[in-house]
């Protein structure tokens, strides 16, 4: 029954609108007592907070690299607790010699960074360290361990692993993540348990608000993916607190610190000396006096972790590209129209030498759009007309630029399909004179573009090479499992369509994996959809090739993948090690496929940086430990001085009333005096006047979140604008709009100065809490 209830709770988040009826019929067909299962507790909260668009306003979104959770079968006797059978679930495991070697410095009580390859079982090493730490305390004293995991899937897995292993020994294990923190007493949970698994922002928040007064409550802190301890990452915020306590002469004891990573990285280092300095700074950030790597048991490690062969394939681009010529001409015409209404267009961005179909051109569009949003003229009607037109011109330029990127790396027909979809949506929306003109220009070229895209002589040579590699590898080994990495979501879709439409690749069953966040109004995959595709891929079920964006090099456990293809895909040295680590089966191969010699050169530099990193670690390991500690302390004192000197006083809220204007057309929306804050995260507007400023349309995915029921989307009411302003919700008994600050320009009434904000927390106006009594008036 509990399993059935959990199943239904998960299904409630399904993308399929008619799933209840389908499931009911399927179950009843086999005479299942479906009605007995249909029990879901009232008030269950949906954890997918990203679907309530404004919820993201409350936290900083940062991108960081993450190694996969390590639960693969290392050997018959050394698999993690979560992987063994039920009968052996609580049996002690037998660690390998290299794992004991990695754990040794930490067992001696030293702050340690453990740097070892993906797949070698660093989680198991963490269990060894944790067990030794908890057992060393004399009677009457107790240790308290906190294990940090960056993302929810890893958090869930580590919570399960630690619970299964330590609860058999009589220790209390629990976890708190962003999905549960609001509903639990954090202080009591930390005090009443021996091991706490946390997503790091939880501790940052509770240190800031004083719920947890000091890190002295812990005796051991373990940081998974510790290479992220830099800048404003939550790991670094925790360690700032630690170092302030250490350097401030606090009397409270400090916890031991352990970091786990597959690669410490080298930053922007050009040589071994600079790489050594970078690694020393990471050690200083984590107060680590030792970097533990496998040295004495390398042969054993090499028998467990297989490093895939790396191949570079320089392929040719199209000799002539009529498709690009036509799209480039349309882009030149669109730029010309934009310059006609804004003669200063070239001065709105500092980016020069931009080329169509590049990321640099995309950056130029973004900077121009931001400048347009705060563009001002004495004649406000004229200002509105120009701002709206520039918004439309740059939006079309962005789509053309995207199409050129798709055409460059996939098929022309996929690029054309992308554009036709865009113009179909344009016609279905406001479709003012500017859009009609731009649409007509595109449609005049449509027949020629269709003809070019159907011409076999315009096939992409890159795809022919990709096809050759796939056919060759699957011929050599029909059981091959592949991950194909690409740069954008649009390319994921394009390559899936290409594989499915290519008779030579009929043996492939492609699945796709993309991120969950929104980009350019395109919604990413939901968490259940991601999990479904990964489970299927890991089980070698419906898919034998996974086409993925960068989300797949962060936290995916696919032990038997034996072919990794990087299709025009390259990052820094940490990303290189992460993506290469996807291929873990014996005899794995990794291909980098590109038409750009600079991409191969960049990957060669990454390989050189990896060698620099390894050489630097070896050099550091020869240093006298006391000398190393002295260097670390010097870095810590210097960094704290810089940190303290840069500390900014808490901003004083500006109580002056200001206007919010539509970012697209500059139509007046509301005054800040009419804005109210609900539950410290959502922003609504009081008064009937605001209701006249927007129009509502039913939400494509109505949804309940906490006290909010998302019913509709709201848009600017000005004719031919329809800019997205937010959503309309039912909050308790109130029907209210919820607005997002990135949809508006803030204008100072006194000076007329206009400012853009991407997050509410950056806009320091007087935030008045929502009051039900005020609403009822």
């Amino acid at each position: 029954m509990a399993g059935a209830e959990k199943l239904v709770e998960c299904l409630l988040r399904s993308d399929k609108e008619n799933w209840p009826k389908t499931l009911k019929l399927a179950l009843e067909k086999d005479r299942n007592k479906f009605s007995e299962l249909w029990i879901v507790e009232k008030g269950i909260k949906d954890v997918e907070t990203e679907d309530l668009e404004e919820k993201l306003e409350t936290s900083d979104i940062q991108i960081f690299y993450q190694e996969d959770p390590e639960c693969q079968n290392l050997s018959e006797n050394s698999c993690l607790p979560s992987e063994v059978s039920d009968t052996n679930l609580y049996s002690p495991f037998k660690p390998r010699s290299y794992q004991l070697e990695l754990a040794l410095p930490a067992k001696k009580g030293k702050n340690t960074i453990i740097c070892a390859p993906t797949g070698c079982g660093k989680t198991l090493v963490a269990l060894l360290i944790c067990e030794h730490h908890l057992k060393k305390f004399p009677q009457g004293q107790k240790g308290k361990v906190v294990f940090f995991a960056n993302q929810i899937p890893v958090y869930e897995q580590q919570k399960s692993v630690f619970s299964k292993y330590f609860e058999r020994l009589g220790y209390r294990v629990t976890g708190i993540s962003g999905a549960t923190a609001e509903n639990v007493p954090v202080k009591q949970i930390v005090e009443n348990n021996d091991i706490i698994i946390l997503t790091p922002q939880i501790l940052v928040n509770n240190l800031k608000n004083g719920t947890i007064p000091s890190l002295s409550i812990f005796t051991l802190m373990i940081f998974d993916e510790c290479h992220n301890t830099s800048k404003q990452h939550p790991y670094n915020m925790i360690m700032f607190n630690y170092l302030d306590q250490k350097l401030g002469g606090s009397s409270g004891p400090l916890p031991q610190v352990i970091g786990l990573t597959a690669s410490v990285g080298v930053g922007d280092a050009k040589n071994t000396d600079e790489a050594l300095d970078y690694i020393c700074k990471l050690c200083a950030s984590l107060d680590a006096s030792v970097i533990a790597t496998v040295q004495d048991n390398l042969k054993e490690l090499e028998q467990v972790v297989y490093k895939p062969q790396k191949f570079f394939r320089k392929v040719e681009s199209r000799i002539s590209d009529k498709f690009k010529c036509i799209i480039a001409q349309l882009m030149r015409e669109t730029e010309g129209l934009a310059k006609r209404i804004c003669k200063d267009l070239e001065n709105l961005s500092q980016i020069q030498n931009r080329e169509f179909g590049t990321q640099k051109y995309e950056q130029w569009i973004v900077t121009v759009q931001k400048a347009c949003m705060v563009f001002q003229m004495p004649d406000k009607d004229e200002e509105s007309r120009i701002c709206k037109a520039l918004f439309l011109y740059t939006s079309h330029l962005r789509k053309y630029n995207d199409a050129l990127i798709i055409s460059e790396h996939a098929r022309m027909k996929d690029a054309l399909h992308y554009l036709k979809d865009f113009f179909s949506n344009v016609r279905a929306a406001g479709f003012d004179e500017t859009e009609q003109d731009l649409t007509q220009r595109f449609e005049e070229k449509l027949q020629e573009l269709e003809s070019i895209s159907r011409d076999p002589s315009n096939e992409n040579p890159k795809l022919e090479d990709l096809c050759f590699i796939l056919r060759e590898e699957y011929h050599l080994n029909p059981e091959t499992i592949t991950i194909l990495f690409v740069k954008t979501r649009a390319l994921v879709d394009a390559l899936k369509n290409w594989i499915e439409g290519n008779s030579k690749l009929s043996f492939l069953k492609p699945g796709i994996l993309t991120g969950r966040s929104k980009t350019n109004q395109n919604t990413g995959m939901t968490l259940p959809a991601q999990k479904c595709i990964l489970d299927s891929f890991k089980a070698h079920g419906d898919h034998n090739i996974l086409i993925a964006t960068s989300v797949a090099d962060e936290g995916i456990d696919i032990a038997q993948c034996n072919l990794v293809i990087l299709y025009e895909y390259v990052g820094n040295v940490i990303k290189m090690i992460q993506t290469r680590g996807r291929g873990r089966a014996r005899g794995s191969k990794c291909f980098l496929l590109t038409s750009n010699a600079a991409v191969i050169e960049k990957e060669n530099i990454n390989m050189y940086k990896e060698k620099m990193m390894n050489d630097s670690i070896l050099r550091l390991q020869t240093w006298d430990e006391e000398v190393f500690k002295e260097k670390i302390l010097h870095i810590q004192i210097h960094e704290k001085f810089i940190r303290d000197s840069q500390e900014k006083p808490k901003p004083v809220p500006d109580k002056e009333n200001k206007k919010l204007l539509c970012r697209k057309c500059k139509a007046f929306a509301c005054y800040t005096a009419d804005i109210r804050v609900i539950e410290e995260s959502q922003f609504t507007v009081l008064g009937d006047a605001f209701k006249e400023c927007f129009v509502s349309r039913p939400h494509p995915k109505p949804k309940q979140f906490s006290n909010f029921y998302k019913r509709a989307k709201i848009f600017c009411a000005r004719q031919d604008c329809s800019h997205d302003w937010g959503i309309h919700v039912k909050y308790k008994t109130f029907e209210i709009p919820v607005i997002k600050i990135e949809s508006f320009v803030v204008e100072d009434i006194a000076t007329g100065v206009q400012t853009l904000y991407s997050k509410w927390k950056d806009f320091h106006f007087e935030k008045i809490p929502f009051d039900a009594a005020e609403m009822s008036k």
Side-chain angles (χ1 to χ4, degrees), residues 75-115:
S75 74
E76 187 175 339
N77 296 319
S78 68
C79 56
L80 293 179
S82 61
E83 287 295 295
V84 297
S85 66
D86 287 342
T87 54
N88 295 321
L89 194 58
Y90 303 109
S91 304
F93 55 80
K94 183 183 176 184
R96 293 179 179 274
S97 298
Y98 73 78
Q99 291 166 333
L100 292 170
E101 180 186 350
L102 288 170
L104 190 59
K107 282 186 173 183
K108 292 178 180 177
K110 296 175 182 179
N111 286 1
T112 308
I113 292 175
I114 294 169
C115 183

Side-chain angles (χ1 to χ4, degrees), residues 560-683:
Q560 295 307 310
C561 178
N562 62 316
L563 180 61
V564 177
I565 301 176
L566 309 176
Y567 190 69
E568 296 285 3
Y569 186 95
V570 69
N572 64 11
V573 65
I574 295 174
K575 186 179 278 284
M576 180 191 77
I577 292 167
Q578 300 281 16
T579 51
R580 185 182 66 203
R582 297 311 105 212
R584 298 197 209 142
R586 191 188 293 270
S588 295
K589 297 177 184 177
C590 179
F591 287 88
L592 172 61
L593 203 69
T594 179
S595 59
N596 188 348
V599 170
I600 293 175
E601 181 58 28
K602 188 172 182 182
E603 195 74 342
N604 278 321
I605 290 169
N606 282 337
M607 293 170 75
Y608 171 69
K609 285 187 172 184
E610 184 182 19
K611 184 178 183 305
M612 276 199 313
M613 179 187 78
N614 293 330
D615 291 346
S616 300
I617 290 172
L618 287 172
R619 271 179 62 186
L620 282 174
Q621 289 170 332
T622 65
W623 286 18
D624 178 80
E625 196 171 319
E626 291 306 312
V627 172
F628 186 53
K629 280 183 178 178
E630 191 63 35
K631 181 173 178 65
I632 293 304
L633 180 61
H634 177 76
I635 293 170
Q636 289 171 345
I637 292 168
H638 176 68
E639 292 292 319
K640 178 169 168 53
F641 174 78
I642 293 172
R643 196 160 65 245
D644 290 346
S645 64
Q646 290 176 339
E647 208 167 83
K648 296 175 183 176
K650 194 173 180 180
V652 178
D654 185 351
K655 295 186 179 183
E656 293 296 320
N657 201 7
K658 292 179 169 51
K659 291 179 182 178
L660 261 64
L661 311 176
C662 175
R663 261 196 203 192
K664 182 176 175 182
C665 73
K666 294 291 187 73
F668 172 77
C670 66
Y671 291 104
T672 53
D674 297 324
I675 295 174
R676 297 293 181 268
V677 189
I678 310 173
E679 296 186 6
E680 298 182 359
S681 61
Q682 313 303 324
F683 292 76

Side-chain angles (χ1 to χ4, degrees), residues 515-557:
R516 293 167 64 194
S517 60
K518 289 186 174 185
T519 55
N520 298 343
Q521 303 305 312
N522 294 323
T523 306
M525 289 181 79
T526 63
L527 188 61
Q530 285 180 330
K531 190 175 185 312
C532 181
I533 197 82
L534 285 174
D535 288 346
S536 171
F537 190 62
K538 278 190 255 187
H540 301 175
D542 298 333
H543 308 291
N544 58 0
I545 180 170
L546 189 66
I547 310 167
T549 55
S550 60
V551 70
D553 60 46
E554 304 170 357
I556 294 176
D557 176 24

Side-chain angles (χ1 to χ4, degrees), residues 294-304:
V294 179
Q295 299 179 74
D296 300 334
N297 298 280
L298 265 176
K299 285 189 177 178
E300 183 190 46
L301 176 65
E302 288 166 358
Q303 289 171 355
V304 174

